[in-house]
Amino acid sequence: MKILFFVLKTKLLKNGEAPILMRITINGQYEETRIQRSVPLKLWNAAKGCSKGKDRASNELNSYLSELATRALEKYKELILEQAISTPSLILKRVFGKDTEMHTLLGTIRQEIKEMEKVVNIDYAPVTINRYKNVLKKLENSIPTFYDKEDITFHELTPEFIKAFDLHLKTIGLCRNTIVRYMKCFKKITNMALAKGWMKKDAFYGYKMEQDETAPVFLTYDELQTIMNKEFTIPRLALVRDIFIFACFTGLAFVDVSTLKKEDMVQDNNGDWWIRKGRIKLMHRRKASSICNIPLLPVPLAILKKYENNPVCIKKGYCLPVPCNQKMNSYLKEIADFCGIKKNITTHTARHTFGTTITLANNVPLQDVSVMLGHASTRMTQHYARVMNASLKKSMIHVKEQLTQ
């Protein structure tokens, strides 16, 4: 580390003196700042970096310069003992008391989680906060192993640790898509640190966050008919079946079905009923395109009619008496067993079934499906709506007819 004191000859102060700057250089990188002191140009010794005057003011200035140099060396040694990356900017901040707080990785994540919890269900969903908490737990296990210390500064983060952390997540059995979601949370923290100058280099440089393609579970029309026609003597299963079928024919997500109100139902000029409802998930994120526009088919209309006088619906003001998501998913597994369906059915299966079996398989354009699902673009809809074998067969029959002509 090199320390240099110099003056700005071209930017003299009003009193005619030149401002003094302190420059610190480490491995070719340097940072400089004014030390809030000045000196007459004729008294400045550029070679020695001090005043050559013999008066009291000159002696006090030289003592202050010597004190700054000593303090800079002390801060440099402290950073070495902390095993932190020493940068000229960080040393200058510590010398002048501008960096009294150490910005550590785990400490910053804990603070960010506290800030998120203040605006839960406003800016952040609970599941998002839990994801950051899971990242924190995984880092608390990985950092001591890799660095042999409880916490690290952002300057100590390296691409090697990112690779090691990725490997750690793989070895504990997490799938690739979960790892990518965790790493995105991690990267948001490091991006904030980069923006605030707490680190100089992006530790994620070269790291690719590629997710594996998944095959969403949806029901065929025959499977859907099996569930619809099955007689359930257990009331809770009959209720869950009805709510699931309603979601299959409307494409609403669980949270939107459970909060559906009469105000969300509108009738057009032809007397047909529509659901026009803001998606809860996107409304929390303040997304613009978050309105579902869904024409109601006879099946969901009959289900709404069936429960319009239900005591729970009347008390809460909702259209359907929807149990919690956990119970719904548990009971749906029972329903699948009763119906002989060998698929892992959840409440979200209904949304995929609507996008594929109810709409796309019946030649509804992808753009229209996107509007009904409340998607901002068709890219997300393509994940929900899968091409059925029947559609492929129909297309190939058309090709066959064209070739035989």
Side-chain angles (χ1 to χ4, degrees):
M1 182 182 74
K2 295 181 180 179
I3 302 171
L4 173 67
F5 294 102
F6 64 98
V7 296
L8 286 179
K9 297 181 180 179
T10 58
K11 294 185 179 180
L12 300 181
L13 303 177
K14 290 182 180 180
N15 61 3
E17 296 183 351
I20 302 174
L21 280 75
M22 180 180 185
R23 177 185 292 172
I24 292 179
T25 306
I26 300 176
N27 297 327
Q29 294 184 345
Y30 70 88
E31 195 79 27
E32 57 194 36
T33 186
R34 294 193 181 196
I35 66 169
Q36 306 304 318
R37 294 289 192 278
S38 59
V39 64
L41 275 177
K42 62 180 180 180
L43 295 180
W44 182 249
N45 188 331
K48 294 183 178 180
C50 65
S51 174
K52 55 187 178 183
K54 302 297 182 181
D55 57 318
R56 180 178 177 181
S58 296
N59 291 333
E60 288 179 352
L61 174 61
N62 289 338
S63 297
Y64 180 65
L65 296 178
S66 178
E67 182 183 335
L68 287 179
T70 302
R71 197 185 304 170
L73 289 170
E74 289 175 354
K75 300 302 178 184
Y76 180 63
K77 291 177 181 178
E78 286 177 7
L79 288 172
I80 293 175
L81 292 174
E82 291 171 9
Q83 296 182 4
I85 295 176
S86 303
T87 63
S89 176
L90 182 58
I91 293 174
L92 283 174
K93 286 180 179 179
R94 290 195 175 191
V95 167
F96 293 98
K98 297 179 181 179
D99 192 53
T100 55
E101 181 184 358
M102 282 291 294
H103 300 291
T104 60
L105 175 60
L106 299 183
T108 300
I109 296 177
R110 293 187 188 103
Q111 184 60 37
E112 285 300 306
I113 291 173
K114 288 181 181 179
E115 295 299 320
M116 291 177 187
E117 289 175 336
K118 293 178 182 178
V119 287
V120 64
N121 288 324
I122 300 175
D123 290 341
Y124 296 95
V127 66
T128 303
I129 299 175
N130 286 334
R131 191 174 298 148
Y132 276 89
K133 288 180 178 179
N134 288 336
V135 173
L136 176 62
K137 289 178 183 177
K138 303 297 185 291
L139 286 170
E140 286 174 340
N141 292 330
S142 297
I143 287 175
T145 303
F146 191 87
Y147 288 98
D148 196 25
K149 55 198 299 191
E150 293 295 319
D151 201 354
I152 58 171
T153 62
F154 283 98
H155 289 291
E156 296 173 85
L157 267 180
T158 61
E160 288 73 27
F161 174 73
I162 301 301
K163 293 178 182 177
F165 185 56
D166 183 281
L167 180 61
H168 168 71
L169 296 179
K170 289 177 183 176
T171 56
I172 62 176
L174 296 184
C175 69
R176 183 62 201 163
N177 291 355
T178 301
I179 292 174
V180 170
R181 284 193 287 269
Y182 283 0
M183 288 304 225
K184 284 182 178 178
C185 293
F186 189 5
K187 195 174 191 309
K188 284 183 179 180
I189 299 296
T190 60
N191 284 346
M192 180 191 70
L194 281 166
K196 293 186 176 182
W198 298 347
M199 59 190 298
K200 291 293 184 183
K201 295 182 179 180
D202 184 8
F204 277 89
Y205 180 76
Y207 179 80
K208 295 182 179 179
M209 298 192 188
E210 296 177 348
Q211 290 184 289
D212 294 334
E213 184 69 23
T214 58
V217 177
F218 63 90
L219 299 181
T220 64
Y221 190 70
D222 289 339
E223 292 169 335
L224 194 57
Q225 285 291 317
T226 301
I227 294 177
M228 291 173 64
N229 297 329
K230 182 73 174 178
E231 291 291 335
F232 290 101
T233 57
I234 304 173
R236 61 179 174 82
L237 294 183
L239 171 63
V240 169
R241 185 268 310 274
D242 290 343
I243 294 169
F244 179 75
I245 294 301
F246 179 85
C248 286
F249 279 87
T250 60
L252 289 175
F254 170 79
V255 67
D256 296 312
V257 174
S258 62
T259 57
L260 185 66
K261 297 181 178 181
K262 289 183 179 179
E263 303 92 85
D264 301 319
M265 315 284 295
V266 294
Q267 200 170 21
D268 61 19
N269 295 332
N270 298 321
D272 297 322
W273 286 95
W274 292 62
I275 292 177
R276 285 186 180 149
K277 184 180 189 301
R279 291 188 60 201
I280 300 296
K281 181 178 179 181
L282 295 185
M283 287 171 69
H284 285 162
R285 297 179 184 176
R286 296 185 176 90
K287 297 280 186 177
S289 301
S290 59
I291 303 297
C292 296
N293 289 287
I294 309 162
L296 282 175
L297 298 170
V299 172
L301 276 172
I303 294 173
L304 288 172
K305 183 71 175 176
K306 179 179 178 180
Y307 291 98
E308 65 180 354
N309 294 319
N310 184 280
V312 176
C313 295
I314 294 172
K315 181 181 178 181
K316 294 185 177 181
Y318 294 134
C319 293
L320 294 170
V322 183
C324 70
N325 196 31
Q326 186 178 8
K327 287 184 178 180
M328 283 282 295
N329 289 331
S330 176
Y331 298 158
L332 281 172
K333 287 174 174 56
E334 292 185 49
I335 290 172
D337 290 337
F338 279 124
C339 296
I341 297 173
K342 306 297 182 182
K343 290 180 179 179
N344 182 27
I345 301 177
T346 65
T347 55
H348 210 62
T349 304
R351 194 161 162 84
H352 287 289
T353 300
F354 175 81
T356 303
T357 307
I358 302 300
T359 55
L360 190 65
N362 289 297
N363 301 318
V364 178
L366 190 67
Q367 185 67 41
D368 293 345
V369 178
S370 180
V371 173
M372 288 187 280
L373 290 173
H375 289 159
S377 70
T378 56
R379 287 185 62 189
M380 177 58 72
T381 313
Q382 288 170 348
H383 175 71
Y384 280 78
R386 299 291 173 167
V387 178
M388 302 284 286
N389 289 336
S391 299
L392 294 174
K393 185 177 180 181
K394 185 177 179 180
S395 299
M396 292 308 294
I397 288 173
H398 177 70
V399 172
K400 182 179 178 181
E401 291 173 351
Q402 292 292 322
L403 292 174
T404 55
Q405 288 181 358

